[in-house]
Amino acid sequence: MPKSWFLRIGLVTGLLFLYLPILLLVILSFNANRSVAVWSGFSFHWYRELFNDQQLLSAAWLSVQVAFVSATFAVVLGTLAGLMLARFGAFRGRALFSGMVSAPLVMPEVILGLSLLLLFVSLEQLTGWPEGRGMLTIILSHITFTMAFVTVVVQSRLVSMDASLEEAAMDLGARPAKVFFVITLPIIAPAIVSGWLLAFTLSLDDLVITSFVSGPGSTTLPQVVFSSVRLGLSPKINALATIVVAIVAVGIIIAGIYNARQERMRQLDEKMAAQG
Amino acid sequence: MAAISNPVPGGSRNSAGLVPPEPVEPVTSGQAPGGAGAAEPGPRGSGLGLLSRFRPGRGVVMAIPYGWLLLFFLIPFLIVLKISLSEAQLAIPPFTPLTETLAEEGRTVITLFWDNYRRLTGDDLYIIAYLNSLWIAFVSTIFCLLIGYPVAYAIAKADPRWRAPLLMLIILPFWTSFLIRVYAWIGILSDTGLLNNFLMMLGIIDSPLRILYTPTATYIGITYSYLPFMILPLYATLEKMDNTLLEAAADLGCPPWKAFLTITLPLSIPGMLAGSLLVFIPATGEFVIPELLGGPDTLMIGRVLWSEFFNNRDWPVASAVAIALLLFLVVPIMLFQNVQGRQQEAGRG
């Protein structure tokens, strides 16, 4: 904790601001009453309702499938793009490429959604592909906007990593492809895993772009959530929020334990190396 | 090397240079003092990088992401531009083609339909919406800065052991749904919501304040949702700062507040700039937050675009709105790419 009182108060205020709303949703998800202000006893009522909502469940399943496929492709493309930016030096068209990679990070989603939809419509007119809008167009769009985030994560890992290992392997005669798979890939693997998880979460959460490029019969979870909260409070969503928070918390704890173990092993390795 | 010291997988929805540096520096040879520069005779990043020696493979590696982005990112913008110049019609797709081949003369005629843009400049609704969006995004950015700066500074000044868990706490909300976090504020801000109940319980107010469905709720929602984007780049800058400058100032009798104003604050401008752009640019085009919290009179351009597209089914006007919004954001976006590029160079060490 910082020493100054002012900073402590600032920090605590900021964290409360970030966490109170989330905490509130978790508490309310167990409230038997609809109202936010009245607590009328502990209940799993909203969870039962959540799990009886077929529309919501099938939307959630579609979202998970879309997120899984999108994240996987985004990781491949994002890793290649990160490699280009971190290792290829000044290739022709680099400025355009880095512009195209980083623009989706800040570009308003309504613009991305509209432009992708118009692309799909025009492509269909010209070539007959993609036929209509649905899961395929959602996945293509999600790959496009999530790969930017993967690129950033992978690129920053590549830039900060020690390149002398790659150089040593090259000097010993390894082909670039081999260097990549044997040396670079294992070192940047944590960044790739992070990138995948990030792309998965972003895809799972996206409403605006999806709304533009989805068709009838392909409704994702955020679309269902949005249409129900647009009309005001909907306690089922509190239950959904609590489940999301629980999954994230478990994931974080597992990652924390894994990291702590890695750190201990590293320290042990260092001690061994120092001794001998 | 194995230390992924960012404890949260993925880190942040953030750009590379802005990802907070790892709080516990892993000891690698490259990062030893003087090692980074001395160890490499400079192939990295100089155009002679190792993979660049392998030409054919390099071409394939480059073609895939390059081609993807050209097809799914650049070309779509050109299509938006094209359709913004066509006329709406009741058909599938609901706009006229720009080119028309006249059968008897055998030549192609291009008709540009500028009315969509004339409508944007002629109708107050659009102008108010644009100005309102810029204003709301600006005010929210200031709020993010005011709340985010002390938080980032506190984390940067905290004991190194505390930094990673504190940063994790900042990043964690990213992993829960954005939509759900915005929704949480409906329950807090509504007339019968928690805030009003709390204030009435304390006797500060007698009748509920109308906050939900007003611009105030939109400011709160945007500030809340985008706060981590401000904190992370700010932290990255503050953490890297050279503390000896502050010690020197203290030795020379400078009071801490003055040292903060004359040393820390100016040195953290790159972080403030990066964070502000990460908040301001997407907030300008925000749709979900004004739609859920803002009420019908909170006019933001993202909502206008949405309703032109989904309610009026006027694709050409929606495209013109998008192009105009892009024009407003061109300067901030270029600034962002510039800042990011510089941070990336700095990241090379």
Side-chain angles (χ1 to χ4, degrees), chain B:
Chain B
M1 197 60 76
I4 330 155
S5 23
N6 195 340
V8 188
S12 60
R13 241 188 97 153
N14 214 327
S15 56
L18 312 173
V19 168
E22 311 178 333
V24 187
E25 288 285 303
V27 186
T28 59
S29 56
Q31 275 161 338
E40 320 155 15
R44 192 159 52 131
S46 63
L48 299 165
L50 84 138
L51 286 162
S52 62
R53 288 182 223 165
F54 189 59
R55 290 284 161 178
R58 193 176 122 121
V60 175
V61 166
M62 281 174 61
I64 300 167
Y66 216 123
W68 184 283
L69 285 172
L70 284 178
L71 177 61
F72 289 106
F73 188 75
L74 195 65
I75 293 177
F77 282 115
L78 302 178
I79 297 175
V80 174
L81 187 64
K82 185 193 111 185
I83 289 172
S84 76
L85 292 169
S86 64
E87 193 179 353
Q89 62 174 13
L90 281 173
I92 298 174
F95 50 84
T96 56
L98 287 189
T99 51
E100 219 174 339
T101 310
L102 301 175
E104 55 275 23
E105 294 170 52
R107 62 193 175 94
T108 306
V109 177
I110 300 176
T111 329
L112 296 184
F113 187 74
W114 289 100
D115 277 19
N116 303 317
Y117 288 98
R118 265 184 224 123
R119 212 167 118 188
L120 292 193
T121 49
D123 191 338
D124 283 350
L125 171 101
Y126 298 104
I127 297 167
I128 293 172
Y130 279 112
L131 294 179
N132 223 2
S133 303
L134 293 171
W135 174 248
I136 290 179
F138 174 74
V139 173
S140 310
T141 306
I142 299 292
F143 280 137
C144 279
L145 201 53
L146 290 178
I147 302 174
Y149 201 103
V151 175
Y153 194 65
I155 299 176
K157 288 276 162 266
D159 187 287
R161 270 176 309 145
W162 281 95
R163 285 183 205 160
L166 284 172
L167 268 187
M168 195 180 86
L169 282 175
I170 302 297
I171 295 164
L172 204 87
F174 276 137
W175 295 87
T176 63
S177 163
F178 162 77
L179 198 54
I180 287 174
R181 281 185 296 133
V182 173
Y183 157 76
W185 284 95
I186 297 179
I188 299 174
L189 299 176
S190 72
D191 290 1
T192 56
L194 274 190
L195 185 65
N196 273 314
N197 271 292
F198 184 66
L199 291 177
M200 288 204 282
M201 199 178 74
L202 293 180
I204 298 174
I205 52 171
D206 303 323
S207 56
L209 291 173
R210 182 129 187 91
I211 307 174
L212 188 64
Y213 307 133
T214 67
T216 313
T218 312
Y219 294 131
I220 297 174
I222 294 181
T223 307
Y224 175 69
S225 308
Y226 288 91
L227 185 59
F229 291 99
M230 180 64 87
I231 296 178
L232 295 174
L234 263 178
Y235 167 80
T237 317
L238 288 168
E239 197 259 352
K240 266 184 291 190
M241 227 178 64
D242 187 357
N243 269 324
T244 53
L245 290 172
L246 290 177
E247 283 161 25
D251 287 347
L252 297 170
C254 179
W257 63 267
K258 202 171 172 188
F260 175 81
L261 285 182
T262 51
I263 298 171
T264 310
L265 208 56
L267 282 176
S268 60
I269 285 175
M272 290 200 268
L273 192 62
S276 300
L277 291 169
L278 276 172
V279 175
F280 179 80
I281 302 170
T284 308
E286 184 56 53
F287 163 75
V288 174
I289 297 170
E291 180 72 14
L292 288 183
L293 303 177
D297 55 333
T298 310
L299 214 51
M300 281 186 80
I301 204 63
R303 286 178 92 180
V304 172
L305 195 158
W306 182 281
S307 75
E308 289 295 355
F309 183 84
F310 286 100
N311 307 342
N312 303 345
R313 291 196 60 78
D314 194 334
W315 294 17
V317 166
S319 302
V321 170
I323 295 290
L325 176 57
L326 261 187
L327 289 180
F328 275 104
L329 294 179
V330 154
V331 173
I333 288 176
M334 306 243 307
L335 202 59
F336 167 74
Q337 299 204 326
N338 191 359
V339 169
Q340 203 205 359
R342 246 184 299 151
Q343 298 237 348
Q344 210 110 72
E345 287 305 308
R348 284 167 196 275

Side-chain angles (χ1 to χ4, degrees), chain A residues 1-2 7 10-11 14-15 17-19 21-22 24-25 36-37 77 80-81 83-94 96-108 110-112 114-122 125 140 143-144 147 149 152-153 155-163 166-167 170 175-176 179 187 190 194 197-198 201-202 205 207-208 211-212 222 225-226 229-230 232-235 237-238 240-241 244-245 248 252 255 258-259 262-263 266 270, chain B residues 1-4 6-10 12-16 22 26-27 29-31 43-45 47 49-51 53-54 58 61-62 64-66 68-77 79-80 83 93 147 150-151 153-155 157-158 162 166 168-170 172-181 183-188 192 194 197 220 223-224 227-228 277-278 281-282 285 287-288 291-292 302 305-306 309-310 315 318-319 322 325-326 329 333 336-337 340 344 347-348:
Chain A
M1 284 277 122
L7 285 183
L11 183 62
L15 288 175
F17 181 58
L18 283 177
Y19 281 93
I22 298 173
L24 178 75
L25 287 184
V36 191
L77 285 166
L80 291 179
L83 205 61
M84 281 169 72
L85 289 172
R87 289 285 186 275
F88 282 15
F91 54 86
R92 200 195 300 185
R94 187 191 161 100
L96 174 67
F97 185 73
S98 74
M100 289 195 299
V101 164
S102 64
L105 299 172
V106 289
M107 189 70 75
V110 282
I111 298 182
L112 288 175
L114 178 72
S115 64
L116 282 161
L117 171 77
L118 295 180
L119 170 79
F120 293 136
V121 170
S122 306
Q125 265 183 298
L140 290 173
I143 295 171
T144 306
M147 79 173 265
F149 294 90
V152 155
V153 173
Q155 186 192 358
S156 66
R157 183 78 190 123
L158 279 170
V159 167
S160 69
M161 117 182 204
D162 184 2
E166 292 173 344
E167 280 150 22
M170 290 288 284
R175 320 265 320 151
V179 174
I187 292 175
S194 303
L197 286 168
L198 188 62
T201 320
L202 289 169
D205 197 27
L207 168 73
V208 175
S211 300
F212 278 95
V225 171
F226 183 66
V229 303
R230 207 175 199 177
L233 288 171
S234 157
I237 305 303
N238 298 336
L240 180 67
V244 171
V245 169
V248 171
I252 298 290
Y258 175 81
N259 273 321
Q262 291 272 317
E263 183 66 12
R266 194 179 61 82
E270 264 168 29
Chain B
M1 197 60 76
I4 330 155
N6 195 340
V8 188
S12 60
R13 241 188 97 153
N14 214 327
S15 56
E22 311 178 333
V27 186
S29 56
Q31 275 161 338
R44 192 159 52 131
L50 84 138
L51 286 162
R53 288 182 223 165
F54 189 59
R58 193 176 122 121
V61 166
M62 281 174 61
I64 300 167
Y66 216 123
W68 184 283
L69 285 172
L70 284 178
L71 177 61
F72 289 106
F73 188 75
L74 195 65
I75 293 177
F77 282 115
I79 297 175
V80 174
I83 289 172
I147 302 174
V151 175
Y153 194 65
I155 299 176
K157 288 276 162 266
W162 281 95
L166 284 172
M168 195 180 86
L169 282 175
I170 302 297
L172 204 87
F174 276 137
W175 295 87
T176 63
S177 163
F178 162 77
L179 198 54
I180 287 174
R181 281 185 296 133
Y183 157 76
W185 284 95
I186 297 179
I188 299 174
T192 56
L194 274 190
N197 271 292
I220 297 174
T223 307
Y224 175 69
L227 185 59
L277 291 169
L278 276 172
I281 302 170
F287 163 75
V288 174
E291 180 72 14
L292 288 183
L305 195 158
W306 182 281
F309 183 84
F310 286 100
W315 294 17
S319 302
L325 176 57
L326 261 187
L329 294 179
I333 288 176
F336 167 74
Q337 299 204 326
Q340 203 205 359
Q344 210 110 72
R348 284 167 196 275

